Amino acid sequence: MKIVLIGYGKMGHEIERIALERGHSIACAIDVNNPELFESDDFRTADLAIEFTSPSTALQNYRRCFAAGLPVVSGTTGWLEHMAEIRQACEQGQTFFYASNFSLGVNLFFVLNKMLAEKMNAFPQYEVKLKEIHHTQKVDSPSGTAVSLAEDILKNLDRKKTWVNYESNKTDELGIVSEREGSVPGYHEVCYESEVDSLKIIHDAKSRAGFALGAVMAAEFTLGKKGMLGMHDLLGF
Ligand SMILES: NC(=O)c1ccc[n+]([C@@H]2O[C@H](COP(=O)([O-])OP(=O)(O)OC[C@H]3O[C@@H](n4cnc5c(N)ncnc54)[C@H](O)[C@@H]3O)[C@@H](O)[C@H]2O)c1
């Protein structure tokens, strides 16, 4: 498959490495210094674009790909207020695969998180809190993965009505603590605490390789399909 990379930063480079390893080719790599490549034949004749840029630039990049009829796989976080526009484009024939987190481990973690939240309805003595740690260059806060975890807790744990991005003692609020430190690729922790014990589930990424592999596998899955796709389609859960 001929892949356009949009965003040639930490994730772009890791995706390139894994895509080449899996026998794909890179049609071009577009970053802030070469936007003219959006007008190139390499862009127009590619099979698919993989987009990892920033919250403020992602939507514009999706629009440019859709205008050229190019399917998009994206992992950029922090732009979800525009999701209605993307859904509408998909209903009109575009193809878009989105995941706030492409790693297999995190998607298994999502399953555990939902299950645990649902079970905890019967045990109000446990107070839940969420913590995420990322590298210091991360733009958005809380992380897209933490937002996904929080939304799943709100859907499954009746006593929580809303999430906030600070520590909270209110019974209906879920506090998310975000820390930025060194080069941490991604740490997420859901903790249920009672007076007598605490129960934690943790995902701790060792590198970006898991995210990049998931994005390339999503690209392989997306080729030839139409509409809005996500990790539940790829993994079957
Ligand atoms: N979904 C996941 O699994 C996952 C995993 C890791 C990171 N992320 C997200 O992916 C995004 C990128 O992460 P990163 O670590 O690679 O960041 P990064 O800062 O290392 O790279 C982003 C790159 O995008 C470029 N860029 C910015 N605006 C652009 C534009 N308009 N057109 C083309 N390129 C542009 C930047 O110059 C930079 O090179 C972030 O939103 C991050 O939260 C998602």
Side-chain angles (χ1 to χ4, degrees):
M1 162 176 31
K2 278 200 308 189
I3 299 171
V4 171
L5 294 176
I6 307 179
Y8 199 39
K10 292 183 281 298
M11 282 302 295
H13 279 85
E14 192 65 18
I15 288 166
E16 176 180 50
R17 186 180 71 73
I18 287 174
L20 294 176
E21 241 174 52
R22 291 172 72 90
H24 305 298
S25 63
I26 304 301
C28 59
I30 307 179
D31 208 287
V32 282
N33 57 341
N34 57 5
E36 68 280 1
L37 288 180
F38 278 112
E39 310 302 328
S40 68
D41 283 343
D42 284 337
F43 178 75
R44 274 191 289 266
T45 61
D47 294 309
L48 179 144
I50 302 185
E51 204 273 1
F52 278 77
T53 62
S54 73
S56 61
T57 55
L59 181 67
Q60 186 57 26
N61 291 333
Y62 306 153
R63 287 177 179 157
R64 294 183 103 154
C65 291
F66 291 162
L70 212 59
V72 183
V73 171
S74 179
T76 302
T77 51
W79 61 272
L80 290 186
E81 67 274 22
H82 304 293
M83 188 52 106
E85 176 180 333
I86 301 303
R87 278 192 196 287
Q88 196 181 9
C90 287
E91 279 159 22
Q92 290 162 1
Q94 302 295 344
T95 304
F96 187 75
F97 189 120
Y98 181 70
S100 66
N101 198 306
F102 278 97
S103 105
L104 171 62
V106 163
N107 283 276
L108 290 166
F109 188 65
F110 285 153
V111 175
L112 291 176
N113 176 53
K114 279 185 218 167
M115 204 189 292
L116 191 55
E118 205 253 313
K119 295 283 175 221
M120 282 294 179
N121 275 314
F123 307 107
Q125 65 270 39
Y126 283 92
E127 182 53 70
V128 60
K129 59 189 176 187
L130 232 154
K131 176 166 141 182
E132 56 105 348
I133 311 174
H134 281 86
H135 54 89
T136 48
Q137 295 103 51
K138 184 160 180 64
V139 183
D140 52 324
S141 177
S143 68
T145 303
V147 173
S148 298
L149 289 165
E151 299 286 348
D152 284 344
I153 292 172
L154 297 188
K155 269 182 223 148
N156 289 283
L157 185 65
D158 298 340
R159 56 186 178 272
K160 293 294 171 191
K161 304 294 176 212
T162 181
W163 61 261
V164 291
N165 197 195
Y166 47 79
E167 212 161 334
S168 170
N169 294 324
K170 292 191 184 159
T171 43
D172 61 345
E173 271 183 5
L174 167 60
I176 307 176
V177 172
S178 298
E179 292 176 9
R180 297 291 171 257
E181 116 191 4
S183 55
V184 178
Y187 174 98
H188 293 88
E189 176 187 301
V190 178
C191 176
Y192 287 85
E193 188 151 12
S194 73
E195 277 192 11
V196 294
D197 58 7
S198 55
L199 195 162
K200 289 181 185 175
I201 52 172
I202 293 172
H203 181 270
D204 193 5
K206 294 182 178 177
S207 71
R208 290 184 175 76
F211 309 129
L213 174 62
V216 175
M217 287 171 67
E220 291 164 356
F221 176 82
T222 298
L223 201 66
K225 297 196 175 60
K226 284 272 168 217
M228 187 89 196
L229 301 163
M231 292 304 274
H232 51 281
D233 302 302
L234 176 64
L235 298 174
F237 55 75

